[in-house]
Amino acid sequence: MVVVGAGMAGVQTAVALREQGLKGTVTLIGAEPHQPYDRPPLSKAVLLGKAEGSAFDVDFEALGIELRLGREALGVRPADHELDTEAGPVPYDVLVLATGAEPIRLPGAEGVPGVHLLRTLDDAERLRPVLARQHDIVVVGAGWIGAEFATAAREAGCAVTVVEAADRPLAGALPAEVAAPMASWYADSGAVLRTHARVERVEPGAVVLDDGSRLPAGAVVVGIGARPATAWLAGSGIELGTHHEVVTDEHLRTSAPDVYAVGDCASFPSRRYGERLLVHHWDNALQGPRTVAANIIGETPAAYDPVPYFWSEQFGRFVQYAGHHGAADRTLWRGDPAGPAWTVCWLKEDRLVALLAVGRPRDLAQGRRLIEAGAAMHPEALTDPARPLKDATA
């Protein structure tokens, strides 16, 4: 068994194969030289110097998992059952693709001094002294990673300006009426949020917007999204989707024999939501590997159809989301979005399909189970924030 990609999805796949009884060899190949590590702490504790790293607490040697680190994957030849790497070809009986996603770069900013991404441990370590020196920082993009970095930078005492091309934060993730209340969080924390702001160019020490505004910037952090890290699969014949992700079936099998894909680099068909999902979040990279391992080892294929889940810590708030709201036909609120704690629920034909909870972890926990159960809800009871979500079922 060969697993390519040593992030959460790859590590959990290798571990799950052993936990589920695989006796053969398991090889985990990673492009970075570091011991495999978890990413969420990079924008929090590691960035602020509260932790040196976030290596997984896994005894790879005891599990009989061979690590080959600092080796970038270059291609796959399915007909030969070989993975091509910088160190030469690696034969496989079964291959699992878990190469994750890579940040989208800001056009024209490559090579400009002081421009940073935040995806890897090396990125976080380069940014740590920037925060310590309390530079003026411009963050490009008010998505999840932009908000989390802005939060850390404000905690470190930096002056922060966030520029967003859309009319609101999280424009690509949430509907306007849900994301709109979050705009005030920036000002509350002392950060400046500029919407409808497109970057014309980045110069050493400054960001120039398309309206001529010039923002001083001791550092620029780009957080404008991520795309599946699959360019290396060109020519392999493995089917890629509209977002260049690996297309899998419900068992996480790719179009190539004996090749599976899991985590940020792969999409899967969801019977629950009636569409193909591409989920770029930590929980998907944790849950998917169990299905991959079960399908590699077991005789009865297991389908992968989770309720997607993620969380974000930003501006003193704990934000959690479960489900998928794309096909919802009704949006209901629990609590006042101007307050510190509130929840948004999305329904389809009175069944809960997704919810966003701000400072209401109990809503999230109960709501996630209700989504999994396909529970029908009483809309009137649902909007009462004093009433437990589980008591609002029809």
Side-chain angles (χ1 to χ4, degrees), residues 106-108 197-203 207-213:
L106 186 66
R198 294 187 176 276
V199 175
E200 179 72 27
R201 65 184 183 276
V202 179
E203 302 172 349
V207 172
V208 181
L209 303 182
D210 61 358
D211 65 357
S213 301

Side-chain angles (χ1 to χ4, degrees), residues 95-97 246-255 259-263 266-269 276 284 287-293 295 302-306:
L95 176 67
V96 180
L97 308 177
V246 180
V247 173
T248 75
D249 66 9
E250 63 180 356
H251 309 299
L252 300 180
R253 295 179 299 212
T254 74
S255 61
V259 180
Y260 293 76
V262 66
S267 67
F268 55 90
R276 179 167 288 276
N284 179 51
Q287 304 294 342
R290 298 168 188 167
T291 298
V292 168
N295 288 332
Y304 186 60
D305 195 7

Side-chain angles (χ1 to χ4, degrees), residues 32 37-48 52-54 118-125 127 145 148-149 152:
E32 294 182 55
Y37 61 87
D38 202 6
R39 293 190 189 278
L42 298 185
S43 62
K44 305 173 184 73
V46 174
L47 188 62
L48 290 169
E52 286 304 309
S54 56
L118 180 52
R119 180 72 182 179
T120 68
L121 180 59
D122 288 341
D123 292 337
E125 289 181 343
L127 276 164
I145 193 66
E148 291 190 358
F149 177 80

Side-chain angles (χ1 to χ4, degrees), residues 37-359:
Y37 61 87
D38 202 6
R39 293 190 189 278
L42 298 185
S43 62
K44 305 173 184 73
V46 174
L47 188 62
L48 290 169
K50 297 177 181 178
E52 286 304 309
S54 56
F56 290 113
D57 185 18
V58 175
D59 191 334
F60 294 100
E61 185 176 354
L63 288 171
I65 297 170
E66 180 188 357
L67 292 181
R68 298 187 187 179
L69 303 176
R71 300 189 183 188
E72 187 174 356
L74 302 177
V76 179
R77 288 175 284 117
D80 299 326
H81 274 60
E82 284 193 334
L83 170 75
D84 289 319
T85 75
E86 289 178 319
V90 179
Y92 65 83
D93 292 312
V94 176
L95 176 67
V96 180
L97 308 177
T99 47
E102 57 192 4
I104 297 172
R105 297 177 182 274
L106 186 66
E110 290 91 346
V112 178
V115 176
H116 299 264
L117 299 168
L118 180 52
R119 180 72 182 179
T120 68
L121 180 59
D122 288 341
D123 292 337
E125 289 181 343
R126 280 190 288 267
L127 276 164
R128 191 188 294 179
V130 172
L131 297 192
R133 290 194 293 269
Q134 297 186 334
H135 279 294
D136 289 349
I137 294 176
V138 173
V139 180
V140 183
W144 299 113
I145 193 66
E148 291 190 358
F149 177 80
T151 299
R154 286 298 300 137
E155 186 176 333
C158 300
V160 178
T161 301
V162 181
V163 297
E164 168 58 51
D167 62 350
R168 63 188 187 276
L170 296 168
L174 297 173
E177 69 272 19
V178 177
M182 299 177 177
S184 65
W185 298 357
Y186 288 78
D188 291 346
S189 75
V192 175
L193 173 63
R194 293 189 57 165
T195 56
H196 300 286
R198 294 187 176 276
V199 175
E200 179 72 27
R201 65 184 183 276
V202 179
E203 302 172 349
V207 172
V208 181
L209 303 182
D210 61 358
D211 65 357
S213 301
R214 187 182 183 87
L215 306 177
V220 178
V221 177
V222 178
I224 55 175
R227 61 167 63 96
T230 58
W232 66 281
L233 292 171
S236 68
I238 294 173
E239 182 185 357
L240 301 182
T242 55
H243 301 284
H244 303 287
E245 84 283 9
V246 180
V247 173
T248 75
D249 66 9
E250 63 180 356
H251 309 299
L252 300 180
R253 295 179 299 212
T254 74
S255 61
D258 303 317
V259 180
Y260 293 76
V262 66
D264 290 7
C265 70
S267 67
F268 55 90
S270 171
R271 187 173 300 179
R272 184 192 310 276
Y273 291 106
E275 61 182 282
R276 179 167 288 276
L277 299 182
L278 174 61
V279 180
H280 279 187
H281 294 297
W282 184 91
D283 190 66
N284 179 51
L286 175 67
Q287 304 294 342
R290 298 168 188 167
T291 298
V292 168
N295 288 332
I296 290 173
I297 296 170
E299 296 180 4
T300 305
Y304 186 60
D305 195 7
V307 173
Y309 165 73
F310 69 88
W311 80 97
S312 176
E313 296 177 66
Q314 50 184 273
F315 308 118
R317 292 167 174 85
F318 188 43
V319 183
Q320 295 171 285
Y321 178 97
H324 179 64
H325 65 267
D329 53 31
R330 193 171 184 183
T331 304
L332 297 174
W333 294 75
R334 287 166 58 80
D336 181 1
W342 45 275
T343 297
V344 179
C345 299
W346 286 274
L347 304 182
K348 182 179 181 182
E349 299 171 354
D350 284 342
R351 296 191 180 277
L352 188 65
V353 294
L355 83 161
L356 175 86
V358 177

